[in-house]
């Protein structure tokens, strides 16, 4: 189950500080038994289909991006746990580190979206992409630019 | 319009656009130069004097010294951590311009002139960004109109005339730039534009406290879009990029610090950030599963998220991690809040609710074009139109609450007004359809390709006879009336700017009895006197309004200034002014005050003087010492605020009253004198005596009166009894030699 959660999260290409959210979503149905068993099944099925679809759409590049995302989430969670356990003494540093994770995460997710959709629309030409003007190359360029800005500020912030 | 030589048309269009832009920028800049031409290149008002002083500090010292600047010449004896409590954007901008001019262009420009002319220069840039923003909304022609409006709308000019060297001068430019980039980012969905939005947001944060407006407006826009089911990956990209970079960047400004993650004002952005992550997740799942399954998935996750979020917010606020809302924020919602709880905010005239005439005065015809523009936005309602609607509604509300927020309303009025007007022009200027239909009946070649309906109409019009006179006439009438409105708008703007917004308020324009213009220069006279005749470390006490000016022009240490960061300290000064001499003297001595400065308009009829502000001093002092200063004591039994013979005991004994009217009747040779501000008669029989301070200087028109605080008495008496005995002595002398004493030595001063 837990494995599946991670996968689902990965698949959905989302989110930052709350890996427990997906886990909770999926786990809850298991606990609560009688009244809404149909919806439980639905949720489980939804997660399943999403996961299979995700696997289907995966290309090596996307896989690379996704593993980077997982790494970022892990890093963010690690820092958060550290703060909870040890305390947030150099608050600047913690904030810089944490936000750099979150920031890099959303940037990468954006890149992934643009990239995935751009390649998708290339395959099926007729469909109008949500990013009409953005080619995969441009997406990468933008991503690098924004990341540089982000890390410059973080570097300035942590002193 | 004929594409026969298409390249030429395009070239001409570009050329025209450039010319129009240059003239708009020219108009915008020259309109703001009234004050320089009428008076001189001088910094205006109050806050600009501080900005000017800070800029001078910046160019004389290094940037790091500037950031770590501890200013011991204000808020004596506390001092102020100036570097950490200001928005450095403005000073850094003009400092950078100064360096570029001096070192790269080799133009030895005075920093003062850069400060004076910064606002007009930036107004030209604002026009460009307004053009770009409106172009995203509609098209280039609407953009040009908006740029023109923005260039000359008095609502914006009021804060950007030459010499009005205030944060708003560049902040409005940055506001428009940020909004433009945001719209662009949202439309294209590019990380690049998102990052640019964040950078421009950072610049904005560094320049003006009003950045909170953007911090809430953009999330709100996104939130409304999400509610309307208009989520798209573009939105996700633009918003998350902006938020992550922008928030991090905004924390680099020392004054802002950790506010973006601590204060409730900024929480909307974070909430929407979280929300959009979930929505993105939802959208992804949705694209993969059938809708029935998605529904239950959706329901379960919504319940979880909402409960988690609410719990989290409560927990954080309870634990003190998130600061509660600030007072200024409350005063935005409840207009009476400030009056009851924070007199210092309410005492500022620009924080008062806006009267209707002010809106019309500041925006003229935009006031009624604005709703029309919003209506058109509703009609089309693309994502970016929603932004204008939200921006319009919110800023209209805020502008109604505080006068000075008309400033944020003006840009959206210009944009919406331009959209409305350009729609109207599109409809009425287009006379091609009239001629096409009549023409096509004759020339059959065009009619062949046209549709069924067009044929019908062409037949009808041709049967009606050739020339569509009435249609043309209606169009001409509507157009000419709007051209008239536009011309009138330009005249109105010029008139308002030249009459209302071009006065530096340091120098007052006036007229001699024969009608020739005269200038009342009492402020500078007094400040210059202080600068030249007092020791360099003299402490000057005045009401906080004049703190920045004293610091900037007289270069003397002040007790309180316009920064108003310490309410208690201000209340102390209020108490010193409102109490009797004995009590005040204690306070003055405790704070090492050497000079006291009051503004008095009774001779000239200058209504912004200290007696009129006196009630605020009393109120603020009462907030700290409710037992020693009571507002009620300053009103007569009938509840009137009087300074004449009916003035209350507390009023007559207060230091402020005494300093204002000291020797006032002597001006009129000892007869009763009329205070021309309050139209009340100051009785001559009750002579006002001052024992603890002595008059040091009074300016030509008595607007500024400076008093020197006496030192302790040489013989060890308290100053009251010393003064009394002195007066008795002189009265005795007066009895002996009446003739000599009768001649008042006032001729020189009057």
């Amino acid at each position: 189950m837990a494995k599946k959660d991670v996968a689902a999260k990965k698949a959905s290409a989302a989110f930052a500080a709350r890996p427990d959210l997906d886990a909770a979503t999926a786990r809850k149905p298991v606990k609560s038994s009688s009244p809404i068993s149909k919806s439980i099944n639905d949720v489980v099925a939804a997660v399943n289909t999403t996961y299979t679809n995700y696997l289907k759409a995966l290309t090596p590049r996307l896989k690379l991006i996704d593993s980077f995302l997982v790494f970022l989430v892990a890093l963010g969670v690690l820092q958060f746990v550290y703060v909870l356990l040890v305390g947030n003494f150099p608050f600047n540093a913690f904030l810089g580190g944490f936000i750099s994770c979150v920031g890099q995460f959303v940037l990468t997710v954006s890149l992934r979206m643009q990239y995935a959709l751009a390649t998708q629309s290339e395959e099926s030409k007729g469909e109008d992409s949500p990013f009409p003007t953005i080619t995969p190359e441009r997406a990468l360029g933008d991503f690098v630019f924004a990341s540089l800005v982000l890390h410059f500020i973080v570097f300035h912030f942590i002193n | 319009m004929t594409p026969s030589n298409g390249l030429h048309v395009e070239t001409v269009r570009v050329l025209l656009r450039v010319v129009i832009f240059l003239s708009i920028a020219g108009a915008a800049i020259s309109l703001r130069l009234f004050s320089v031409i009428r008076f001189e290149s001088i910094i205006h008002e109050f806050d600009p004097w501080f900005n000017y002083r800070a800029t001078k500090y910046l160019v004389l010292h290094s940037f790091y010294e500037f950031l770590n600047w501890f200013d011991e010449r204000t808020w004596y004896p506390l001092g102020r951590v100036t570097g950490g409590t200001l928005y450095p954007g403005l000073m850094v901008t003009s400092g950078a311009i100064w360096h570029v001019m001096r070192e790269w262009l080799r133009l030895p420009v005075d920093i003062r002139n850069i400060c004076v002319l910064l606002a007009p220069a930036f107004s030209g840039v604002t026009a460009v960004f307004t053009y770009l923003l409106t172009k995203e909304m509609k098209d280039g022609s609407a953009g040009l109109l908006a740029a023109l409006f923005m260039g000359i709308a008095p609502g914006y000019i009021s804060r950007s005339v030459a010499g009005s060297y205030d944060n708003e001068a560049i902040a409005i430019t940055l506001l428009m730039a940020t909004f433009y980039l945001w719209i662009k980012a949202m439309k294209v969905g590019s990380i690049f534009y998102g990052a640019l939005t964040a950078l421009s947001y950072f610049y904005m944060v560094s320049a003006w406290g009003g950045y909170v407006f953007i911090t809430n407006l953009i999330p709100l826009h996104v939130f409304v879009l999400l509610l309307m089911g208009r989520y798209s990956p573009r939105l996700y990209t633009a918003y998350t990029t902006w938020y992550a970079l922008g928030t991090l960047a905004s924390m680099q400004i020392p004054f802002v610090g950790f506010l973006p993650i601590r204060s409730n004002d900024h929480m909307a952005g974070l909430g929407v950030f979280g929300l959009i992550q979930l929505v993105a997740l939802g959208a992804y799942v949705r694209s993969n599963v059938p809708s029935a399954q998605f529904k239950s998935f959706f329901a379960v996750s919504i319940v979880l998220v909402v409960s988690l979020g609410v719990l989290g917010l409560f927990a954080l606020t309870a634990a003190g991690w998130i600061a509660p809302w600030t007072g200024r924020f409350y005063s935005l919602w409840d207009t009476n809040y400030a009056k009851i709880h924070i007199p210092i905010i309410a005492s500022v005239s620009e924080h008062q609710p806006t009267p209707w005439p002010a809106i019309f005065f500041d925006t003229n015809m935009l006031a009624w074009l604005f709703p029309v523009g919003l209506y058109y936005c509703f009609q089309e309602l693309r994502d970016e139109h929603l932004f204008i609607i939200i921006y319009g509604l919110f800023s209209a509300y805020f502008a109604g609450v505080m006068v000075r927020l008309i400033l944020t309303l003006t840009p959206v009025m210009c944009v919406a007004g331009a959209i409305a007007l350009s729609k109207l022009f599109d409809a009425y200027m287009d006379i091609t359809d009239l001629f096409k239909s009549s023409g096509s009946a004759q020339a059959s070649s065009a009619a062949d390709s046209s549709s069924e309906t067009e044929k019908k109409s062409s037949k009808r019009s041709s049967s009606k006879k050739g020339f569509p006179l009435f249609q043309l006439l209606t169009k001409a009438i509507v157009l000419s009336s709007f051209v008239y409105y536009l011309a009138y708008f330009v005249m109105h703007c010029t008139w308002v700017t030249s009459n209302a917004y071009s006065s530096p308020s340091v120098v007052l324009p006036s007229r001699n009895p024969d009608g020739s213009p005269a200038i009342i220069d009492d402020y500078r006279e007094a400040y210059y006197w202080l600068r030249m005749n007092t020791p360099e470390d003299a402490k000057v006490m005045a009401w906080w309004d004049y703190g920045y000016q004293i610091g900037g022009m007289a270069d003397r240490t002040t007790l309180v200034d316009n920064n108003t960061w310490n309410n208690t300290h201000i209340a102390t000064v209020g108490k010193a002014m409102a109490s009797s001499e004995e009590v005040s003297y204690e306070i003055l001595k405790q704070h090492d005050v050497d000079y006291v400065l009051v503004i008095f308009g009774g001779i000239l009829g200058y209504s912004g003087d200290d007696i009129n502000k006196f009630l605020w001093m009393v109120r603020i002092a009462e907030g700290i010492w409710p037992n020693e200063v009571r507002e009620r004591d300053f009103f007569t039994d009938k509840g009137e605020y009087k300074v004449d013979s009916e003035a209350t005991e507390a009023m007559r004994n207060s230091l402020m009253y005494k300093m204002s009217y000291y020797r006032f009747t002597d001006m009129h040779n000892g007869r009763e004198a009329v205070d021309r501000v309050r139209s009340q008669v100051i009785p001559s029989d009750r002579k006002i005596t001052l024992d603890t301070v002595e008059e040091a200087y009074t300016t030509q028109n008595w607007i500024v009166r400076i008093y020197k605080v006496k030192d302790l008495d040489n013989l060890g008496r308290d100053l009251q009894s010393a003064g009394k005995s002195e007066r008795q002595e002189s009265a005795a002398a007066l009895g002996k030699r009446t003739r000599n004493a009768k001649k008042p030595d006032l001729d020189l001063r009057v």
Side-chain angles (χ1 to χ4, degrees), chain B residues 483-534:
Chain B
V483 167
Y484 168 74
Y485 287 138
L486 279 176
Y488 181 72
F489 179 69
V490 173
M491 276 162 55
H492 174 85
C493 293
T494 319
W495 180 82
V496 167
T497 312
S498 86
N499 282 295
Y501 293 138
S502 292
S503 165
S505 91
V506 176
V507 185
L508 307 164
S510 107
R511 298 209 170 269
N512 288 330
D514 61 351
S516 60
I519 278 178
I520 296 168
D521 208 358
D522 282 32
Y523 282 108
R524 285 197 295 178
E525 184 189 341
Y527 296 140
Y528 198 67
W529 184 88
L530 275 177
R531 199 185 184 103
M532 287 310 180
N533 296 291
T534 59

Side-chain angles (χ1 to χ4, degrees), chain B residues 612-632:
Chain B
N612 275 1
K613 290 173 184 168
F614 191 39
L615 278 180
W616 287 111
M617 304 181 201
V618 173
R619 267 173 217 158
I620 291 168
E622 190 183 5
I624 306 287
W625 294 279
N627 296 324
E628 295 171 59
V629 185
R630 275 176 302 271
E631 192 183 346
R632 189 68 198 84

Side-chain angles (χ1 to χ4, degrees), chain A residues 17 21 31 35 37 42 47 51 60 63-64 85 87 93 95 98 115 123 131 136 138 141 143-144 150 155-156:
Chain A
L21 195 73
K31 281 179 195 163
S37 61
D42 278 351
V47 173
Y51 181 54
K63 210 171 187 173
L64 183 69
L85 294 180
L95 220 55
F98 189 70
Y115 187 74
E123 284 159 16
F131 299 104
R138 161 123 195 240
F143 171 74
V144 170
L150 175 75
F155 191 70
H156 178 253

Side-chain angles (χ1 to χ4, degrees), chain B residues 409-423:
Chain B
L409 176 65
T410 308
V412 73
M413 272 192 158
C414 293
V415 173
I419 291 174
L421 203 61
S422 114
K423 280 254 185 201

